[in-house]
Structure formats: structure tokens, C-alpha cells
């Protein structure tokens, strides 16, 4: 059941009866619906629209704009005469020229669904590209009554339904979640023993995309942040399969133990780098999960088993967390993005908005921001515990941070970032998605990275010129949100710790003066 502009969990009759399939209409595919699983037949006519107005709405990362346009143009070239490809100012300009019946798989954001539902003559089908359908999620969620919709419970239900990593009715290895085995600090030598990931090669389509972006920016039609290429992420099905195979061949086994660690000299580590291609629709998440499980079962049969914690951790990311974030985006309603339970109202500072790592002294934040400027991507822990943790401590408005994440990451879409940022990162929902705020001092960053050794700030200090902005910011954050977090049992001990800090008033005053100036 798709959800409308209503209270969380209440069905919207206008969206409830999308058919699973349609006659052989022209299939309109958005730029994140580029896989064959968005078609009803291999030869179905396809409509692809490159609407320049989309790029003009926000100041996107340059590499995100390049990736999306390159993927869309490569798909048009691949389909040839099977596709009608329009390069126009707005979607409406192209749709006005189409005379055949048009169908579209339900798009991934509130705004784009409003667009297709308001368009006469466009048949809107059920969403595709996720493991769990919206009808299945609705059945699961409604069956839980007043209980919280925990990701872990959803993930277990999905594993049972899809029979993934199961031995009959029980999980392989006897445990559903091996996350406790995946929290090791980084290797002391500063690098994981895995090869460099496979990288795609740019072609003439990429050259034309770059020339167009240069021209539009020079003409003032669009504006970007971040560095230009080279393109790091796949834009075709074949490139996506190559990236998946490379991960399974060379890094899946090493993925788990250090998936929460950060290294200044190894920004890729053993991560799959598959989120952009999944979010473009070039791979289906279930095929990714099945291939990972197949590698695991083959390795067991060969008596050289891949580490189960690595395989399970990867499967949980793809069919657990990714699907959960998608479904909660719709289930919690369009007003969820405006939640602000901790009353955070500071604007995103200019240096952060511009990805200006040169303005920052804190080693962790400067390095992560530099990676993001260069690549348009960092993995989930820098996002949560460096970037998100900073915004949480400094009281930056969660809606503004959601928009910033959406614009700045190549895999960022509205559905990706609303629940991830509002619920997970900024705790702006008051605890609907996460049981406690993901706030941490410098000690966490010191334990899980190699950033602190050469930093001008000391993670053990909360007061003074060399006080770590994360350590001091953590205590100032707890002081500022003490009243809102008082009822959270998981925060009881940290809040009690505030009363033991004799220098708390000085720390708070120091951090108020720091504000959101570059740390």
C-alpha cells in the first residue's frame, strides 16, 4: 500500500490500487529507473526525458549531475530506436509531444509522484527496484500494531520471506545479526589488504556530458559544488555488473570486520561502492543479495568459507537498511521531513555548503569533506559519525542538512536522505527510527580511525585551544538537549555525567562562541 499526504500508516486511496502490470504502453523511465526490470517486456517502447530544470533546482555536486546525465544518455544509446529520448527544459515539454499511451513505475519521491499522478493519460504502476514491495511492508507494519517499526525486525521478516541466508526456519550460523563482529578499529598500518576497486573508463558520451555541464554553468543556468570527474561509478548495466563482480571477487570477504572504521589513506576500504548503481536502477537489490549468498554457499561447499559476518553485514545493508529507509520514507508521510524534535535551527554554514575542506583544521572533518568534494561519496560511518555528528552537535536544522546530503552525494535522493538524516543522523524524529542520538565525542573517532594522531585537537580535551570540537561539542549538545532527551533510557547515564563536569559552564560557553565556525 502506497502512502499519501496523511498521518503515518493511513492508506491513501488515490495510490492504493496501482496495477502490477499494464498493456504494452510506452514506458516512461526516470533517470533512477534504468534497469530492464522497469520494463514489462524486453522490446517495450521506452520514453526517457532529460529535463534540465531538475539540475537548476539545487546546487548539486558536479559529479552527481555528470553521473545521472551519463547514465540516462547511455541508456538511450543502448536502447536505440526502442527509446524516445527528449532533452528538454521540463518534463512537460516532452510529455506534450507523446501521443501514445504512457505508463510509469511509481517514482521514488513525493515530488515526482505528484508529477506523474497529476499528468492526464499517464498510468502509474506499483514501484519496482526494491526487495520488499510497499504492499508487503504495509502488511508487516500494520501487523505490528503499536510496536515500533524496528529495522532489525523488518530485516528478519524479509530474510524469511526471500529465504536468504536461511537454514530452514533459522538463520545460517544461528544468529540473525553479526554486527557485533563488525566493529573492529582500522588496521594499525593504515590500509586494508584488498586491491584498489575496479574503475570504469569514460567515453564520448561522458565527454559530451562534461561539455554540456560546462556550457550550462558558464551560461548561469546551473551551479555546482565539488570537483569535476573522472567518473568513478558505473552508468551502464555491464559496468554495474563488473563493479559487483569486482566486489564479490576481491573485497566481500574483508568487508565486515572494519566496515565501521575510517582511514585517512584508504577512503574505499572494502566497501562495495554499489549504492549509486542500485539507486540508478542498474542492478536489482535482490540479484545483488543472491549473488553474495551464492558466493558464500559456494565457499562453504569448497571448504574455504567466506566470513559469515562479512556476507551477512553486506546483505543487511542491501535488503535490510536500504529497503527499510525506502519504506519508512513513504510510511511516515511527507511531513516527516519537517520533524525537529531537538529544536535545531542553525543554517548550514557556508564552508560546509561549499565543501571547503581547506577552511577546516579538525583532521577528521577536513579529510571527510575533502573526500566528498573530490568524489561525491564517502561511506556510511563518515556520513553518520563525522558529518552528521557535527551537524547534530551544532544544532544545524535537520531539513537543511537533509537537502545538503541530497545535493552533495552521488547516491543521494530525497527518499534516501529524509529518513537517514532526519531519523537516523539528526534524531529529529524524537526516536522513531533510532533508539538514541548518534552523538559521540572525539574518543569514538580516535578509536575507529587514524585521524586524531596528527590533528591539532586532542580528543581527550573538552576545554581550551586544543579541545576537540567533537568532544566539547558532545557535552554542549547534551546540555542543550537535556530536557528533550530526559525520557530516553539509553541516554540516562550520559545525561547523569553532565552533573559531574565541574567545567561544564565553561565548555558550553566555549562551544556557543565557536558556533558553526570552521573547527
Amino acid at each position: 500500500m502506497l502512502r499519501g499526504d496523511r498521518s503515518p500508516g493511513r492508506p491513501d486511496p488515490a495510490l492504493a490500487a496501482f496495477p502490477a502490470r499494464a498493456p504494452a504502453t510506452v514506458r516512461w523511465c526516470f533517470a533512477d529507473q534504468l534497469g530492464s526490470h522497469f520494463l514489462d517486456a524486453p522490446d517495450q517502447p521506452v520514453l526517457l526525458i532529460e529535463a534540465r530544470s531538475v539540475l537548476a533546482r539545487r546546487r548539486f555536486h558536479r559529479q552527481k549531475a555528470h553521473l545521472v546525465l551519463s547514465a540516462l544518455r547511455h541508456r538511450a544509446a543502448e536502447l536505440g530506436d526502442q527509446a524516445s529520448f527528449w532533452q528538454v527544459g521540463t518534463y512537460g515539454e516532452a510529455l506534450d509531444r507523446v501521443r501514445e499511451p504512457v505508463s510509469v513505475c511509481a517514482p521514488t519521491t513525493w515530488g515526482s509522484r505528484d508529477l506523474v499522478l497529476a499528468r492526464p493519460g499517464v498510468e502509474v504502476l506499483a514501484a519496482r527496484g526494491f526487495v520488499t514491495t510497499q504492499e508487503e511492508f504495509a502488511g508487516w507494519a500494520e501487523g505490528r500494531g503499536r510496536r515500533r517499526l524496528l529495522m532489525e525486525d523488518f530485516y528478519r521478516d524479509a530474510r524469511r520471506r526471500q529465504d536468504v541466508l536461511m537454514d530452514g526456519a533459522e538463520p545460517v550460523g544461528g544468529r540473525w545479526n553479526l554486527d557485533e563482529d563488525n566493529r573492529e578499529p582500522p588496521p594499525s598500518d593504515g590500509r586494508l589488504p584488498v586491491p584498489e576497486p575496479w574503475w570504469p573508463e569514460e567515453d564520448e558520451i561522458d565527454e559530451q556530458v562534461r561539455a554540456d555541464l560546462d556550457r550550462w554553468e558558464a551560461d548561469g543556468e546551473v551551479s555546482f559544488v565539488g570537483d569535476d570527474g573522472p567518473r568513478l561509478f558505473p552508468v551502464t548495466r555491464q559496468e554495474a555488473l563488473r563493479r559487483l563482480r569486482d566486489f564479490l571477487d576481491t573485497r566481500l570477504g574483508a568487508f565486515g570486520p572494519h566496515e565501521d572504521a575510517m582511514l585517512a589513506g584508504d577512503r574505499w576500504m572494502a566497501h562495495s561502492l554499489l549504492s549509486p548503481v542500485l539507486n540508478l536502477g542498474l542492478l536489482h537489490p535482490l540479484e545483488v543479495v543472491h549473488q553474495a549468498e551464492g558466493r558464500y554457499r559456494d565457499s562453504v561447499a569448497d571448504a574455504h568459507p567466506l566470513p559469515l559476518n562479512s556476507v551477512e553485514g553486506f546483505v543487511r545493508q542491501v535488503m535490510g537498511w536500504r529497503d527499510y529507509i525506502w519504506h519508512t520514507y513513504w510510511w511516515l508521510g511527507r511531513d516527516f521531513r519537517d520533524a525537529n524534535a531537538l529544536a535545531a535551527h542553525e543554517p548550514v554554514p557556508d564552508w560546509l555548503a561549499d565543501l571547503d575542506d581547506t577552511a577546516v583544521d579538525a583532521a577528521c572533518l577536513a579529510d571527510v569533506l575533502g573526500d566528498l568534494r573530490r568524489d561525491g561519496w564517502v561511506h556510511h560511518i563518515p556520513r553518520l559519525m563525522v558529518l552528521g555528528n557535527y551537524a547534530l552537535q551544532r544544532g544545524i536544522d535537520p531539513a537543511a542538512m537533509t537537502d545538503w546530503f541530497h545535493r552533495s552525494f552521488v547516491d543521494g535522493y530525497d527518499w534516501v536522505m529524509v529518513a537517514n538524516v532526519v531519523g537516523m543522523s539528526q534524531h529529529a524524529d524524537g526516536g522513531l527510527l533510532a533508539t538514541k542520538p548518534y552523538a559521540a565525542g572525539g574518543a569514538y573517532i580516535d578509536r575507529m580511525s587514524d585521524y586524531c594522531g596528527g590533528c591539532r585537537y586532542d580528543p581527550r580535551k573538552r576545554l581550551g585551544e586544543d579541545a576537540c570540537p567533537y568532544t566539547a561539542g558532545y557535552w554542549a549538545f547534551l546540555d542543550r538537549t537535556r530536557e528533550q532527551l530526559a525520557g530516553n533510557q539509553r541516554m540516562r547515564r550520559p545525561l547523569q555525567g553532565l552533573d559531574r563536569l565541574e567545567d561544564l559552564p565553561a565548555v558550553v560557553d566555549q562551544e556557543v562562541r565557536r558556533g558553526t565556525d570552521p573547527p
Side-chain angles (χ1 to χ4, degrees):
M1 188 81 63
L2 301 177
R3 299 288 143 180
D5 193 5
R6 286 162 160 70
S7 59
R10 184 177 176 186
D12 182 344
L15 302 180
F18 288 169
R21 296 177 69 86
T25 56
V26 173
R27 178 59 44 80
W28 176 14
C29 291
F30 280 80
D32 57 356
Q33 299 176 332
L34 300 181
S36 60
H37 51 283
F38 292 97
L39 306 182
D40 294 337
D43 59 349
Q44 184 174 22
V46 175
L47 172 63
L48 299 172
I49 304 174
E50 181 184 299
R52 197 148 66 245
S53 60
V54 175
L55 293 182
R57 291 174 193 162
R58 289 179 168 88
R59 194 174 172 220
F60 289 107
H61 198 294
R62 168 73 183 231
Q63 290 193 51
K64 177 174 186 168
H66 185 123
L67 182 72
V68 172
L69 292 191
S70 180
L72 190 64
R73 294 182 188 185
H74 275 90
R75 181 61 167 152
E78 186 177 76
L79 290 170
D81 293 340
Q82 186 181 338
S84 297
F85 178 44
W86 296 99
Q87 294 173 296
V88 292
T90 67
Y91 288 117
E93 291 177 40
L95 292 168
D96 288 343
R97 305 175 190 178
V98 179
R99 298 292 175 260
E100 301 90 341
V102 173
S103 61
V104 62
C105 298
T108 56
T109 66
W110 285 106
S112 52
R113 284 204 184 175
D114 289 344
L115 171 70
V116 300
L117 288 169
R119 184 77 191 185
V122 174
E123 183 176 16
V124 185
L125 310 178
R128 302 183 188 179
F130 296 87
V131 175
T132 297
T133 68
Q134 291 187 271
E135 289 75 17
E136 288 170 334
F137 184 86
W140 173 79
E142 290 167 350
R144 296 184 61 78
R146 293 182 175 274
R147 289 178 292 171
R148 293 181 68 235
L149 304 181
L150 297 177
M151 195 285 287
E152 182 65 24
D153 296 337
F154 166 73
Y155 166 61
R156 295 182 185 191
D157 181 74
R159 289 253 307 262
R160 293 188 187 99
R161 279 188 287 102
Q162 298 293 339
D163 192 28
V164 170
L165 289 179
M166 298 294 293
D167 280 338
E170 298 299 318
V172 169
R175 295 163 57 195
W176 289 101
N177 185 322
L178 281 73
D179 193 42
E180 290 185 0
D181 300 334
N182 291 354
R183 298 173 182 168
E184 293 185 18
S188 57
D189 62 1
R191 195 165 189 87
L192 286 184
V194 294
E196 182 86 358
W198 169 83
W199 303 114
E201 293 185 10
E202 292 192 359
D203 58 17
E204 63 277 5
I205 293 178
D206 289 297
E207 292 179 11
Q208 186 59 56
V209 167
R210 181 166 288 109
D212 288 343
L213 293 177
D214 286 342
R215 186 177 71 257
W216 299 340
E217 190 168 24
D219 290 344
E221 295 183 53
V222 296
S223 178
F224 300 114
V225 297
D227 295 350
D228 189 13
R231 174 169 62 83
L232 299 173
F233 298 94
V235 291
T236 67
R237 168 77 174 168
Q238 290 305 311
E239 286 185 348
L241 289 171
R242 177 73 182 272
R243 170 64 53 87
L244 172 60
R245 185 168 65 250
D246 175 69
F247 170 68
L248 297 176
D249 287 345
T250 66
R251 297 197 305 288
L252 174 60
F255 168 71
H258 301 289
E259 69 170 291
D260 285 0
M262 299 174 283
L263 284 168
D266 188 357
R267 62 192 191 272
W268 315 115
M269 301 184 70
H271 292 276
S272 71
L273 311 184
L274 288 171
S275 57
V277 298
L278 283 166
N279 293 353
L280 287 169
L282 294 171
L283 297 175
H284 194 288
L286 201 53
E287 73 173 315
V288 172
V289 165
H290 284 160
Q291 288 203 35
E293 180 181 20
R295 291 297 185 96
Y296 172 74
R297 294 193 182 274
D298 288 347
S299 72
V300 171
D302 292 341
H304 294 91
L306 288 165
L308 180 57
N309 59 308
S310 289
V311 179
E312 187 277 320
F314 177 66
V315 166
R316 181 159 22 93
Q317 282 189 341
V318 176
M319 70 179 290
W321 186 253
R322 182 177 184 270
D323 260 47
Y324 176 75
I325 287 297
W326 154 260
H327 288 295
T328 52
Y329 174 80
W330 298 102
W331 187 261
L332 296 174
R334 68 172 77 212
D335 292 339
F336 182 75
R337 67 182 317 110
D338 299 319
N340 197 347
L342 299 182
H345 298 294
E346 291 293 324
V348 177
D350 289 343
W351 59 267
L352 185 58
D354 294 338
L355 309 183
D356 184 6
D357 55 303
T358 65
V360 180
D361 287 337
C364 58
L365 186 54
D367 190 75
V368 169
L369 203 57
D371 288 347
L372 181 57
R373 171 185 50 76
R374 182 178 56 247
D375 304 326
W377 183 93
V378 296
H379 72 79
H380 64 288
I381 294 301
R383 298 188 200 204
L384 181 64
M385 301 309 299
V386 177
L387 299 170
N389 189 19
Y390 176 84
L392 177 66
Q393 292 182 5
R394 301 292 151 177
I396 299 177
D397 183 88
M401 281 305 296
T402 298
D403 181 69
W404 179 82
F405 271 97
H406 177 180
R407 292 185 294 104
S408 302
F409 282 83
V410 294
D411 57 3
Y413 295 83
D414 196 55
W415 71 266
V416 175
M417 294 307 179
V418 169
N420 264 310
V421 178
V422 172
M424 180 79 167
S425 170
Q426 301 304 294
H427 203 73
D429 62 355
L432 282 175
L433 299 189
T435 57
K436 64 183 287 292
Y438 278 85
Y444 173 86
I445 296 173
D446 190 25
R447 181 172 67 256
M448 296 303 296
S449 77
D450 60 355
Y451 289 130
C452 298
C455 183
R456 61 158 287 198
Y457 298 113
D458 187 337
R460 298 165 297 181
K461 292 186 177 181
R462 59 180 175 265
L463 193 61
E465 288 297 319
D466 60 346
C468 174
Y470 283 91
T471 301
Y474 173 75
W475 293 110
F477 163 76
L478 290 183
D479 181 73
R480 187 180 72 251
T481 59
R482 188 194 299 238
E483 183 176 338
Q484 293 99 321
L485 298 176
N488 187 317
Q489 289 301 306
R490 294 194 66 191
M491 297 302 295
R492 183 173 57 86
R493 291 185 64 182
L495 291 174
Q496 287 175 346
L498 283 171
D499 298 326
R500 295 192 292 269
L501 298 185
E502 295 181 359
D503 58 0
L504 181 62
V507 172
V508 170
D509 180 67
Q510 168 187 269
E511 296 312 294
V512 168
R513 284 185 282 107
R514 267 183 176 171
T516 56
D517 290 341

